Amino acid sequence: MNKQQLISEFTQLLGNDKVRVGLKATEHYRTGWRSGRGSAIAVVFPDTLLEFWQVLELCVAADCIMIMQAANTGLTEGSTPSGDDYDRDIVIINTLAMNKLHVLGQGEQVVSFPGTTLHTLEKTLKPLNRAPHSVIGSSCLGASIVGGIANNSGGSLVKRGPAYTELSLFAQVDKNGQLNLVNHLGINLGDHTEEILTNLENGAFELASLATQEKASASDYIDRLRDIDSDIPSRYNADVTRLYEASGCAGKIAVFAVRLDTFEVAQKEQTFYLGTNNPDTLTHLRRHILTHFKNIPEVGEYLHKDIFDIAAEYGKDTFLSIQHLGTDRLPKLFAIKGRIDATLNKLSFLPKYLTDRCMQLIGKCFPQHLPKRMLEYRDKFEHHLILKMSDDGIEEAQQYLTQYFSENPDAGNFFICDKEEASKAYLQRFAAAGAAIRYQTLHDKSVGDILALDVALRRNDLSWVEQLPDSLTQKIDKALYYGHFFCYVFHQDYVLKKGVDAHQVKKEMLKLFDSRGAKYPAEHNVGHLYDAEDGVKAFYEELDPTNSFNPGVGKMSKHKRNCGCC
């Protein structure tokens, strides 16, 4: 089957409006959110699980590479082609239209289709008094549930660990080149492919019990966190204990559905805002809380004062957009912004990223958006921690923090947030994630590239504040630190000076991480930006012996393997 025949088959199956071809029509889907792009002969948009299967059949028959894509919010180029050095034609399969969600039991579990977003899950569970794995960050950008599972995504919720399940329905190409559907959902959907997919699509199944031998979440994560003397990070991409079929698959199989646990919503929550100039204070608090507290925090988000300042100025419009418009509209707004940028950036007489420049100016027109006490702590303290406790943990934390800081007045201080302060503290933390990019975008004439890394430190590491050698600091305009403190997962954004080679700096940074026993990436998958470790490579090759799905991730070969032993 040649290209035109394949495209004709796609069009006959899906309709003209569900098949995009040509450089312009496919550009948005061939380009990564932050970086990365490549060629594809078509982008297709199946509406149903059965259409999804039929698209896969056509791709396999035509010996095409298949790249799964939902909202394309990945940070490491893992859901787009990367370059033009593949040995076969590429078809991008966008799954967003397949966005059903089946609620199991009284909401204790769900079955998610490949295009269902975290935001949809959060809204569905709210009236059931249940909560999903993640409620901040990517959910506001439209990221999919399956994308989180496939990429070992973490999050800000301390107790829940990486996105993980052992219950999934997926298709894979075996070593003989045959496409097979594998039902490991733990749900009887029938015996034949069409029957299985149709029954799942229509919700035509019954479950007598939700109990299974397989896990539907990382249920052992709290025990792992409490082991503070381990020299292994608590969560990171290359953790082979978290690689299981759909979990951590990085698009090396086609995932049709995943089954996941949900979580009880706390009766009460209270946020504490901590500040200190001595990182040892936070080290002590983390170790004490994880070992002695009966109740683990819900959230423990760290901000250095430098990223606090950058977020306050360059994340202000994001902050205000969420505050006044809510998260419902954000996915569409970000999508519209992306399309506008893609169009305007081609016009040489306009400055690049005009929408960012306009939004920055609009943000400046609004009055101060941060609470007075947060600003006072910014002036007094270098290190900030947003700590949320729930139910019995509230009194436990309040008593301990009051006693600790009264006995150690030089260690720092804390205040109990009112509702508005708590909301704005989390918005400030969320705005930090994109603020460094905005800063670099608006100062592109005076600064170099941005290097965004996420790193997981050893659980027993006492020196979590990074100390860079002069050979690196002289190449950096701004080093910005924030992250999930109790998990010891840090996002580290480096805005480089003009003319500095970002690839060389990254190489030096990763060598430094290696010397500290850290792991990277911590929660964004290797994509096309990182070398996969041996255990991850073996996992990918087992899932996809012929290298038919998303070849090249982990900087592995992009060429076809003709048998499972290669």
Side-chain angles (χ1 to χ4, degrees), residues 352-365:
K352 298 294 184 184
Y353 301 103
L354 186 59
T355 59
D356 286 279
R357 300 177 193 279
C358 291
M359 291 167 67
Q360 185 69 19
L361 287 174
I362 292 171
K364 288 184 177 181
C365 297

Side-chain angles (χ1 to χ4, degrees), residues 81 84-85 134 171 292 318 517 544:
D84 298 312
D85 54 341
S134 178
H292 296 291
T318 299
D544 184 20

Side-chain angles (χ1 to χ4, degrees), residues 466-541:
E466 185 172 66
Q467 301 294 325
L468 295 175
D470 291 341
S471 61
L472 280 173
T473 56
Q474 64 186 10
K475 299 176 182 178
I476 297 172
D477 176 74
K478 289 191 181 297
L480 305 169
Y481 303 94
Y482 54 102
H484 316 303
F485 189 68
F486 288 88
C487 298
Y488 251 21
V489 169
F490 292 90
H491 299 280
Q492 304 185 178
D493 294 341
Y494 307 95
V495 181
L496 306 180
K497 291 183 179 179
K498 199 71 175 178
V500 170
D501 184 342
H503 293 289
Q504 181 58 37
V505 172
K506 181 178 178 179
K507 185 177 180 180
E508 294 178 49
M509 286 288 184
L510 298 186
K511 186 176 180 180
L512 187 64
F513 292 161
D514 289 337
S515 70
R516 299 175 63 190
K519 292 287 187 178
Y520 53 85
E523 57 183 8
H524 289 149
N525 210 294
V526 290
H528 288 280
L529 299 183
Y530 296 90
D531 290 299
E533 293 189 9
D534 289 344
V536 179
K537 289 180 180 178
F539 175 65
Y540 291 166
E541 291 174 354

Side-chain angles (χ1 to χ4, degrees), residues 301-548:
E301 291 294 291
Y302 168 78
L303 287 166
H304 186 271
K305 72 173 183 179
D306 290 343
I307 189 62
F308 184 106
D309 291 343
I310 291 292
E313 181 174 357
Y314 295 93
K316 185 176 180 180
D317 58 289
T318 299
F319 181 109
L320 295 173
S321 296
I322 300 173
Q323 182 183 18
H324 296 295
L325 299 178
T327 56
D328 283 359
R329 302 179 186 179
L330 278 190
K332 289 184 179 179
L333 290 176
F334 273 97
I336 292 170
K337 177 184 178 298
R339 294 189 184 97
I340 293 174
D341 282 336
T343 300
L344 296 184
N345 284 348
K346 297 175 183 177
L347 304 177
S348 59
F349 59 89
L350 290 177
K352 298 294 184 184
Y353 301 103
L354 186 59
T355 59
D356 286 279
R357 300 177 193 279
C358 291
M359 291 167 67
Q360 185 69 19
L361 287 174
I362 292 171
K364 288 184 177 181
C365 297
F366 286 82
Q368 176 58 252
H369 59 295
L370 295 176
K372 179 181 177 181
R373 289 200 288 183
M374 281 179 62
L375 293 171
E376 290 174 347
Y377 267 49
R378 180 263 167 252
D379 293 337
K380 292 172 62 176
F381 301 117
E382 182 176 1
H383 305 284
H384 299 239
L385 183 67
I386 305 166
L387 178 68
K388 180 192 286 186
M389 303 297 297
S390 62
D391 299 333
D392 292 342
I394 297 173
E395 183 177 357
E396 188 175 21
Q398 185 170 342
Q399 289 182 353
Y400 177 73
L401 294 175
T402 300
Q403 179 180 350
Y404 177 79
F405 285 111
S406 64
E407 294 175 353
N408 302 276
D410 295 334
N413 210 341
F414 80 100
F415 65 85
I416 301 174
C417 297
D418 60 30
K419 187 175 181 179
E420 179 183 5
E421 289 171 327
S423 174
K424 291 188 173 183
Y426 298 121
L427 284 176
Q428 170 75 342
R429 166 62 184 88
F430 174 75
I437 299 174
R438 171 69 61 78
Y439 171 84
Q440 188 271 340
T441 298
L442 299 187
H443 295 84
D444 60 333
K445 292 183 179 179
S446 58
V447 302
D449 293 333
I450 184 169
L451 183 60
L453 304 175
D454 58 298
V455 57
L457 302 185
R458 293 175 291 121
R459 278 171 275 172
N460 61 359
D461 197 337
L462 302 180
S463 302
W464 55 273
V465 176
E466 185 172 66
Q467 301 294 325
L468 295 175
D470 291 341
S471 61
L472 280 173
T473 56
Q474 64 186 10
K475 299 176 182 178
I476 297 172
D477 176 74
K478 289 191 181 297
L480 305 169
Y481 303 94
Y482 54 102
H484 316 303
F485 189 68
F486 288 88
C487 298
Y488 251 21
V489 169
F490 292 90
H491 299 280
Q492 304 185 178
D493 294 341
Y494 307 95
V495 181
L496 306 180
K497 291 183 179 179
K498 199 71 175 178
V500 170
D501 184 342
H503 293 289
Q504 181 58 37
V505 172
K506 181 178 178 179
K507 185 177 180 180
E508 294 178 49
M509 286 288 184
L510 298 186
K511 186 176 180 180
L512 187 64
F513 292 161
D514 289 337
S515 70
R516 299 175 63 190
K519 292 287 187 178
Y520 53 85
E523 57 183 8
H524 289 149
N525 210 294
V526 290
H528 288 280
L529 299 183
Y530 296 90
D531 290 299
E533 293 189 9
D534 289 344
V536 179
K537 289 180 180 178
F539 175 65
Y540 291 166
E541 291 174 354
E542 180 183 3
L543 287 181
D544 184 20
T546 61
N547 213 17
S548 298

Side-chain angles (χ1 to χ4, degrees), residues 55-184:
V55 165
L56 295 175
E57 285 185 311
L58 289 172
C59 290
V60 172
D63 196 23
C64 283
I65 287 169
M66 295 159 281
I67 294 180
M68 304 298 117
Q69 183 184 94
N72 192 17
T73 59
L75 303 180
T76 58
E77 305 178 9
S79 56
T80 58
S82 180
D84 298 312
D85 54 341
Y86 295 86
D87 63 338
R88 291 152 289 165
D89 291 325
I90 294 174
V91 175
I92 298 172
I93 304 173
N94 188 283
T95 64
L96 278 179
M98 298 174 286
N99 58 4
K100 289 186 178 180
L101 184 73
H102 294 311
V103 176
L104 304 183
Q106 301 300 310
E108 297 94 335
Q109 288 187 337
V110 295
V111 173
S112 168
F113 283 23
T116 313
T117 64
L118 289 165
H119 186 63
T120 297
L121 176 59
E122 188 176 347
K123 288 180 63 179
T124 301
L125 292 178
K126 189 172 183 179
L128 303 177
N129 207 34
R130 305 288 296 183
H133 166 268
S134 178
V135 294
I136 189 173
S138 296
S139 59
C140 295
L141 300 177
S144 71
I145 297 168
V146 167
I149 292 293
N151 293 314
N152 294 124
S153 297
S156 65
L157 300 178
V158 176
K159 302 175 182 177
R160 298 179 192 175
Y164 181 76
T165 186
E166 296 170 1
L167 299 164
S168 63
L169 174 68
F170 61 92
Q172 65 183 153
V173 176
D174 65 23
K175 65 182 180 180
N176 298 315
Q178 297 297 311
L179 181 69
N180 301 298
L181 186 69
V182 180
N183 180 12
H184 286 169

